[in-house]
Amino acid sequence: MEVKRRSARVVTFGCQMNERDSETIMGILSSLGFEESPSVDDADIIIFVTCCVRENAENRAFGNLGETKRLKERNPHLVVGMCGCMAQRSDLREKVQARMPWVDLVFGTHNIHRLPELLQRVFSGERVIEVWDEPCEVVEGLPAMRAYSHKAFVNITYGCDNFCTYCIVPYVRGRERSRTMEDVVAEVGNLAKSGCVEVTLLGQNVNSYGRGLPPRPSGVSPDFADLLYEVNSVEGIERIRFTTSHPRDFTDKMVVAAGSCDKVCEHFHLPLQSGSDRVLDMMHRGYTAEKYLGLVHRIRDVIPGASITTDIMVGFPGETEADFQATMDMVRQARFDAAFTFIYSPRPGTVAAEMPNQVKDDVKHDRIYRLIDLVNSTAGEVNDELRGAIREVMVEGPSERDTSVLSGRTRTNKMVHWTASKEHKPGDLVRVRILEPRTWTLYGEEVMSGGELDV
Ligand code: 5AD
Ligand code: SF4
């Protein structure tokens, strides 16, 4: 009789940090003999990797955890676990502990490496809740089950020391720690050997990479520019991306490094948050609108054709209509290729949550609609300039809606769809002429040979 292998499903909320953590969690589960289950319905273990950056992320995770009660009734052997950023918050963890007795395991962002032992205890009948308030040294060498073979996330820093007043991240991801350049480069090298062609370097603030690392022979610690040059020299890698940048710490040396390294893609995700100096100051962002715009111009001067995307928040405490108009003005001036827009969500424990003058919900909603309209029309105009251009596109695979259509990304990180005239596998680089640019996606045709490549 064939013995069914036990299966596990990891459900991820939130950012790329969590996606990367999920790969480690699935890697550990796989090393313990679990295979990946295609859905939660027939998994023997379900682990939720949660996010608490905004209240709606929390609500979705709670909703999902709630639904596992029904699965557990059907399969009493099912193990339900919760980890990630929500688990680091004692109030949320206690809520799960008290109100969701069917959740067997809670662990945090700092003790993922302890999962084998924690699971052992769960299997022997214990309800295990283990969260560390502080991180230990960076743990290297954990297994990972990568989501893709042609592209990969590579952590360069963990945690965050910025303490923007609205943000929960420093409280749930701990103090900033950098991996050594040797460890990062070795990981990228191994990925390249296994066929990976694109890496995305991950950190809450990639531009502060290296702080606290031992000095190099030159007497200073390596910085993000040094790391870019090193990663750029790894054979087999075609594209290097990174996220997230902090405008305050993005030095000119880094702009020059990004421009000089041929594999570094011409895309910069530079969260603006607000265009008002008064609000930026209350947010503790460490730059002014003018300084931000100066960086945008410098990047575009050094790297012609670079795309710049951003995060913008409306309704920060005390934000007036004039502050909001300053944000709208920045969108017009910076001409973003795309922007993620958010309504400020008070996070318990952060400085901004306690500020007076919280903005009313209807005002926040009114502002976000106006902002989205402007962002979309600017992005549409920017993309329209690509009509007729030929771009190098990395194939991702068939489009979700229509499998005869391939989708991929330009170096500037724009999604492109084209009708497949030839078979391609994920990671292939092809040339596509843009025929129909839209706000979020470009539609084109594959160009078989010749044709000038602009970026
Ligand atoms: N409310 C709304 N948006 C937030 N972000 C971070 N914290 C909050 C919050 N409390 C946004 C920021 C950040 C992005 C990842 O999420 O714009 O850049
Ligand atoms: Fe969410 Fe921030 Fe945690 Fe990422 S680091 S999962 S965005 S709370």
Side-chain angles (χ1 to χ4, degrees), residues 1 5 102 108 134-135 157 165 202 211 251 313 332 394 419:
M1 193 182 82
R5 281 185 71 196
W102 64 91
E134 298 294 331
T157 64
T165 53
L202 288 185
R211 284 182 198 162
T251 62
M313 204 186 296
R332 289 184 199 103
M394 183 175 286
T419 304

Side-chain angles (χ1 to χ4, degrees), residues 150-151 198 239 241 392-399 405-411 413-418 426-428 430 432 434 440-442:
H150 69 289
K151 61 176 180 180
E198 178 181 289
R239 289 181 169 190
R241 300 187 180 282
E392 177 199 275
V393 175
M394 183 175 286
V395 176
E396 291 294 336
S399 124
V405 169
L406 283 176
S407 65
R409 284 190 186 269
T410 61
R411 288 174 59 98
N413 208 35
K414 293 180 192 276
M415 176 68 81
V416 184
H417 290 317
W418 70 101
D428 283 355
V430 301
V432 177
I434 309 306
W440 298 111
T441 318
L442 311 173

Side-chain angles (χ1 to χ4, degrees), residues 150-152 154 156 184-185 188 196-202 206 224-243 257-258 260-268 392 394 410-413:
H150 69 289
K151 61 176 180 180
V154 175
I156 63 168
V184 173
V185 171
V188 175
C196 172
V197 284
E198 178 181 289
V199 288
T200 302
L201 308 177
L202 288 185
V206 292
F224 183 56
D226 301 325
L227 182 71
L228 283 181
Y229 288 113
E230 290 289 321
V231 176
N232 196 59
S233 66
V234 176
E235 215 175 299
I237 295 297
E238 305 271 1
R239 289 181 169 190
I240 300 166
R241 300 187 180 282
F242 50 84
T243 197
S260 334
C261 292
D262 58 329
K263 296 172 185 174
V264 171
C265 289
E266 296 77 15
H267 169 228
F268 300 82
E392 177 199 275
M394 183 175 286
T410 61
R411 288 174 59 98
T412 52
N413 208 35

